[in-house]
Amino acid sequence: MSEHDTGPGEWPTVRVPVEPVQAVMEADALDAAARHSGLAVRGPLFGVAAQDQDAGRRWQVTVEVTHGCPQQARDALNSLFWFRAKDEAKSRQERRALLAAVARLEKEPVDELTVLGTRYRVVRAEEYAAVDSRGGIETPRPTDPEPLTPDWSPAARGPLVDDGLALDPDAPLSPLQAAERVALRPLAYSGTRFPAPVLADSARAVESHPDVLLMPAAFLIVERTEDGPWSPGSGLQATAHDARRTLDFALTWMEPRLRGLIPHDADRTVDARRPPAGTTDEAATALKAFAKAADRLRAGRCDEVEAHGTIYRIARSRRLLRWGPDGPEGPRPSDTSAHTPTALHPPLDEDGAVRFDRSPDDDPAS
């Protein structure tokens, strides 16, 4: 622990927004808080954050905090180190250090390690969404970032979630951000649907990591049928438009194939807007419903459509990191993974050459 990590720190500076854009965003957030005063907690997500020796209390996200279990985040860190060793290492010594970390991650469920002077930690965030009095999940806000010219091509790539994100518990806050942080500090699981170890770990985390840091909003598709509960229909996206583009593709390309309206072996350019030759009248009618819903998405900032009895909504997802004297919270004992550590890539030698003739157990860094 460094001298900068001896306690949770003083309360960050609270600044009333005076710049016009920031003032509008603060007003937008206030309106949203009035409309959506409840919370729906989905559960934990995991990623990796790094801290340089001279960074004080700041950490930097190096693996996006979107993974469903700790081992997925460890695997992503394994790949990060492996490709750095292969493509970026400037010396044999640097490559050995990176490959030694890869070797550990292939065999141990390690949640923190130091490589070349930088601390890497698997971090745990709580994903939640704001909901209204009827259980409706919050949709994107008018001030959430949107591209000037929306690109609806399936090959388009928007910004990555958490790309370059700094985690700074001392960064200045607006009044509403400060109020939200205070309100969420005591957040913990409750109720009979959670096993006792999960409840105990959640209560313990409030004491061991008493502060919270709010991460930028992300966006995803949620869906429900009739009066059923909302369920996630996609992973997190960095912008609402990226989530809408994902939904457009799902409605016009994926769903028609899953429902047998378009053959699985049809040309990849065939979709609900461009049905294949020989489509039956019944299938054509069903495809038109999907295409109509997708066209509504393209008509403007539309965040909810319906097709074939299913309601699709673009939801605004929030994540919070619990923060303690030594930085962001890591995985809890009750957090489980669906798989164990394993080798993900072929061995590298000290010069960065891939050795397909050796097994990972023969890697000199192991």
Side-chain angles (χ1 to χ4, degrees):
M1 182 183 299
S2 74
E3 63 182 4
H4 301 285
D5 292 327
T6 56
E10 297 181 359
W11 186 253
T13 301
V14 178
R15 296 176 180 169
V16 176
V18 293
E19 193 274 330
V21 173
Q22 293 178 344
V24 171
M25 292 178 66
E26 184 78 350
D28 190 21
L30 185 61
D31 290 342
R35 292 192 306 269
H36 300 85
S37 57
L39 292 182
V41 177
R42 182 181 174 193
L45 294 173
F46 302 88
V48 177
Q51 184 187 48
D52 292 330
Q53 291 177 335
D54 58 352
R57 288 173 15 104
R58 284 168 56 97
W59 293 67
Q60 185 91 16
V61 173
T62 56
V63 171
E64 64 277 12
V65 189
T66 60
H67 296 276
C69 70
Q71 189 55 45
Q72 290 177 349
R74 297 183 198 113
D75 289 346
L77 184 60
N78 180 329
S79 292
L80 179 69
F81 287 149
W82 190 88
F83 281 104
R84 279 182 58 187
K86 175 177 176 290
D87 301 325
E88 300 175 22
K90 296 178 175 59
S91 66
R92 285 186 170 185
Q93 182 180 7
E94 183 176 335
R95 187 171 290 110
R96 286 193 199 103
L98 291 165
L99 292 178
V102 169
R104 282 196 66 191
L105 287 163
E106 289 176 344
K107 297 177 175 63
E108 305 173 36
V110 59
D111 291 327
E112 183 165 330
L113 69 168
T114 298
V115 181
L116 297 171
T118 298
R119 297 172 72 189
Y120 293 87
R121 177 181 296 174
V122 177
V123 297
R124 182 191 198 276
E126 204 71 63
E127 185 185 13
Y128 65 98
V131 296
D132 60 24
S133 58
R134 295 172 295 179
I137 298 177
E138 183 184 12
T139 56
R141 299 175 184 174
T143 52
D144 285 328
E146 297 274 3
L148 292 176
T149 304
D151 186 347
W152 294 96
S153 167
R157 293 292 179 267
L160 300 176
V161 177
D162 298 337
D163 187 27
L165 178 64
L167 305 174
D168 185 358
D170 303 316
L173 304 172
S174 73
L176 198 62
Q177 290 171 335
E180 188 173 7
R181 272 179 63 167
V182 171
L184 290 173
R185 277 181 167 183
L187 180 67
Y189 297 155
S190 62
T192 57
R193 72 187 184 97
F194 295 102
V198 173
L199 294 173
D201 283 349
S202 183
R204 191 178 302 113
V206 175
E207 301 297 326
S208 63
H209 294 76
D211 201 1
V212 297
L213 187 147
L214 304 180
M215 302 183 70
F219 305 88
L220 75 158
I221 304 164
V222 295
E223 56 189 62
R224 72 176 183 183
T225 303
E226 297 179 348
D227 294 327
W230 291 103
S231 61
S234 74
L236 293 182
Q237 305 285 340
T239 72
H241 175 70
D242 291 327
R244 294 188 198 104
R245 185 176 62 240
T246 301
L247 179 55
D248 178 272
F249 177 78
L251 291 171
T252 59
W253 200 95
M254 186 63 69
E255 282 293 330
R257 283 166 170 78
L258 292 175
R259 297 180 182 226
L261 302 174
I262 294 176
H264 286 280
D265 58 355
D267 187 87
R268 62 181 304 169
T269 61
V270 169
D271 61 16
R273 294 186 178 97
R274 296 170 289 272
T279 300
T280 65
D281 291 343
E282 182 180 3
T285 299
L287 290 171
K288 285 180 180 179
F290 279 126
K292 182 178 179 180
D295 289 343
R296 283 194 60 207
L297 289 173
R298 297 194 179 198
R301 290 189 179 185
C302 177
D303 293 318
E304 184 171 301
V305 296
E306 185 274 335
H308 297 292
T310 298
I311 299 172
Y312 302 89
R313 174 177 290 190
I314 306 302
R316 190 178 198 271
S317 173
R318 303 299 307 276
R319 293 165 296 160
L320 69 83
L321 282 164
R322 298 210 72 90
W323 204 275
D326 194 32
E329 182 187 16
R332 299 172 184 174
S334 57
D335 291 326
T336 59
S337 293
H339 62 287
T340 57
T342 189
L344 303 175
H345 305 283
L348 295 176
D349 66 20
E350 291 185 337
D351 296 314
V354 179
R355 297 298 302 269
F356 292 103
D357 58 331
R358 289 207 304 245
S359 71
D361 290 338
D362 298 327
D363 188 358
S366 54

